[in-house]
Amino acid sequence: MKRLTSLPALDGFYMPGEFEPHRGCIMIWPKRPGSWPFGAREARKAFAEIAESIADSEHVIMLAEKDVMESARQMLSDRIEVVEMASDDAWARDVGPTFVVNKDRHVRGIDWQFNAWGGHTDGLYADWEKDDLVAGAFLERFGYPAYDARHFVLEGGSIHSDGEGTLLVTERCLLSDGRNPSLTRLEIEEQLKNYLGAEKIIWLPYGIYQDETNEHVDNVCAFVRPGEVVLAWTDDNNDPQYEMSLADLKLLEQETDAKGRHFIIHKLPIPKVPVCIKEEELSGFVFEPGEDQREAGERLAASYVNFYISNGGVIVPQFGDEHDQKAVKILGECFPDRRIYPVYARDIIVGGGNIHCITQQIPEGEVHEKGNSGSGPDEVLRRHQ
């Protein structure tokens, strides 16, 4: 793997929009007993359904630890490439690399520092060593040149790009004490601009209520195309989310993107009934020392914004709530050329995240190098075709 110490923006690289063409998608097979109750039995069914939905239009690479490789192979079709790789949990969005492209559609990866969403300040587990190595290991295995950004803590779920110079983030997450406390807001902006090629950062005040990632942006607001976003919303002014989403809405209405466009904003309802951990689910967890523990009745950060855009579809979380179909309808109107895949996702949200959190897109494009082992990305694509 070629490890790059230059800055992507100076090299002409930037983060494309998720709605742009993909070469494939990274996922990680779940096993952590503190995230996935009852041996990840139900979670694996949901992961498999999501992987197969994505595989209808793009290649899926499922990373799995050695002891669960056979489980993954048994539950997934031959369309899914299962690759042995160590990790602490299954949040591919946050531990995987962020990919950047240039105008010639050459693709490189960024290896950020990962510290379990807050390190020793407010991180969610005590040991994240394997997760912190996933991005670099993936880039090496599949032959992508890697930008070294390990001086900077960032998760993929905390950023959303329109591919045209605009980046969405939340203040609550990127300014949290457990990530880059020695950096000012302007210095954090400088890092985002240098590594993601962003020209303008939109700082939303809040994410989703009770989001234990310090309110990742991918749970509250997402681009559907340049100049157009969906925003998690509730009309219930007794819900704590109401004031949070209202503050985000007011900011978006006042802002313009990097091209000077005002945003088209689609309000996407959150579930009408809060999604909470049940006593019977709680009995299936096995928590490690120092790991954040769930409690019966705890409200989870359920949001329909946490969808994944594949080449041919949009995979949308469902919660058995009366707003499920409304969310599907709104997203169907936002993505008229893509198939909507509704997936029951309660068995993912109990782990603390959702569909977007367990996926990481690899943009379409050329790669400068081949890896020293395993399949190069071009070989993977040929097999998929």
Side-chain angles (χ1 to χ4, degrees):
M1 174 183 64
K2 184 177 181 182
R3 202 150 184 93
L4 306 167
T5 56
S6 56
L7 296 174
L10 293 181
D11 292 342
F13 282 78
Y14 62 92
M15 183 181 177
E18 188 174 320
F19 42 78
E20 296 181 45
H22 299 174
R23 180 180 294 276
C25 176
I26 308 168
M27 298 181 66
I28 304 173
W29 198 240
K31 61 171 271 189
R32 188 179 182 91
S35 296
W36 314 106
F38 304 107
R41 180 186 63 216
E42 299 305 316
R44 288 175 183 172
K45 294 176 184 176
F47 272 61
E49 184 179 355
I50 290 161
E52 299 294 347
S53 298
I54 296 170
D56 282 349
S57 60
E58 66 189 58
H59 188 66
V60 177
I61 301 168
M62 185 69 72
L63 310 180
E65 291 216 288
K66 185 175 182 179
D67 61 334
V68 293
M69 286 281 288
E70 188 59 30
S71 164
R73 289 198 175 107
Q74 287 179 354
M75 294 186 68
L76 298 168
S77 75
D78 292 340
R79 301 189 301 173
I80 314 298
E81 182 177 19
V82 181
V83 173
E84 183 179 334
M85 192 169 292
S87 64
D88 292 298
D89 208 343
W91 308 109
R93 176 68 50 179
D94 293 343
V95 305
T98 298
F99 291 93
V100 290
V101 301
N102 66 5
K103 62 181 178 60
D104 298 318
R105 298 305 287 191
H106 291 141
V107 183
R108 295 176 178 177
I110 302 174
D111 182 7
W112 312 103
Q113 182 185 156
F114 176 77
N115 71 353
W117 309 276
H120 297 297
T121 301
D122 60 353
L124 299 182
Y125 39 79
D127 183 3
W128 54 84
E129 181 179 352
K130 290 189 292 184
D131 271 353
D132 190 31
L133 297 176
V134 169
F138 183 92
L139 295 171
E140 181 173 11
R141 173 69 180 266
F142 287 92
Y144 287 92
Y147 284 105
D148 188 349
R150 295 189 55 75
H151 62 284
F152 188 68
V153 176
L154 192 78
E155 307 97 38
S158 68
I159 50 176
H160 246 303
S161 173
D162 71 347
E164 295 188 358
T166 310
L167 202 69
L168 293 171
V169 302
T170 70
E171 294 178 346
R172 297 276 287 186
C173 179
L174 265 61
L175 301 181
S176 65
D177 292 337
R179 286 177 171 80
N180 300 288
S182 66
L183 300 182
T184 66
R185 173 170 165 152
L186 285 177
E187 288 170 333
I188 291 171
E189 278 207 11
E190 182 180 13
Q191 294 293 317
L192 298 175
K193 290 177 178 179
N194 285 339
Y195 281 91
L196 300 173
E199 299 167 20
K200 184 169 185 177
I201 316 298
I202 306 294
W203 291 83
L204 298 178
Y206 300 104
I208 289 291
Y209 177 66
Q210 291 282 80
D211 187 340
E212 58 197 9
T213 65
N214 300 112
E215 300 173 24
H216 271 180
V217 74
D218 72 344
N219 219 18
V220 72
C221 191
F223 285 108
V224 300
R225 60 187 54 82
E228 191 168 345
V229 300
V230 289
L231 176 69
W233 187 258
T234 178
D235 290 318
D236 182 1
N237 58 14
N238 292 315
D239 191 313
Q241 187 62 46
Y242 178 80
E243 293 294 339
M244 296 166 71
S245 291
L246 185 61
D248 289 342
L249 177 66
K250 288 179 177 178
L251 184 135
L252 283 169
E253 288 176 335
Q254 295 167 3
E255 279 282 7
T256 57
D257 66 12
K259 302 298 184 185
R261 293 170 295 213
H262 290 280
F263 291 102
I264 298 171
I265 305 165
H266 303 276
K267 294 178 180 178
L268 195 60
I270 61 171
K272 184 176 180 62
V273 178
V275 179
C276 301
I277 283 282
K278 299 177 181 177
E279 191 72 55
E280 55 266 33
E281 291 168 329
L282 188 65
S283 67
F285 289 102
V286 179
F287 298 106
E288 297 178 358
E291 184 172 11
D292 188 58
Q293 299 191 17
R294 307 215 174 282
E295 299 177 358
E298 174 186 338
R299 177 167 169 170
L300 301 171
S303 167
Y304 300 105
V305 173
N306 207 279
F307 54 80
Y308 178 78
I309 307 169
S310 68
N311 282 339
V314 182
I315 296 82
V316 182
Q318 303 279 271
F319 305 102
D321 186 87
E322 67 178 82
H323 284 171
D324 283 2
Q325 287 305 306
K326 187 174 182 180
V328 166
K329 181 176 183 295
I330 292 170
L331 289 172
E333 293 168 350
C334 289
F335 296 98
D337 298 327
R338 285 178 163 92
R339 175 182 170 185
I340 304 299
Y341 292 83
V343 175
Y344 183 68
R346 182 184 178 89
D347 298 308
I348 304 173
I349 192 64
V350 297
N354 223 298
I355 292 172
H356 197 255
C357 304
I358 65 169
T359 52
Q360 175 61 278
Q361 70 276 4
I362 307 169
E364 181 63 271
E366 297 299 321
V367 182
H368 290 248
E369 301 172 340
K370 299 293 183 184
N372 295 324
S373 61
S375 303
D378 290 324
E379 181 186 341
V380 168
L381 183 63
R382 284 196 297 272
R383 278 209 309 270
H384 184 51
Q385 291 174 329

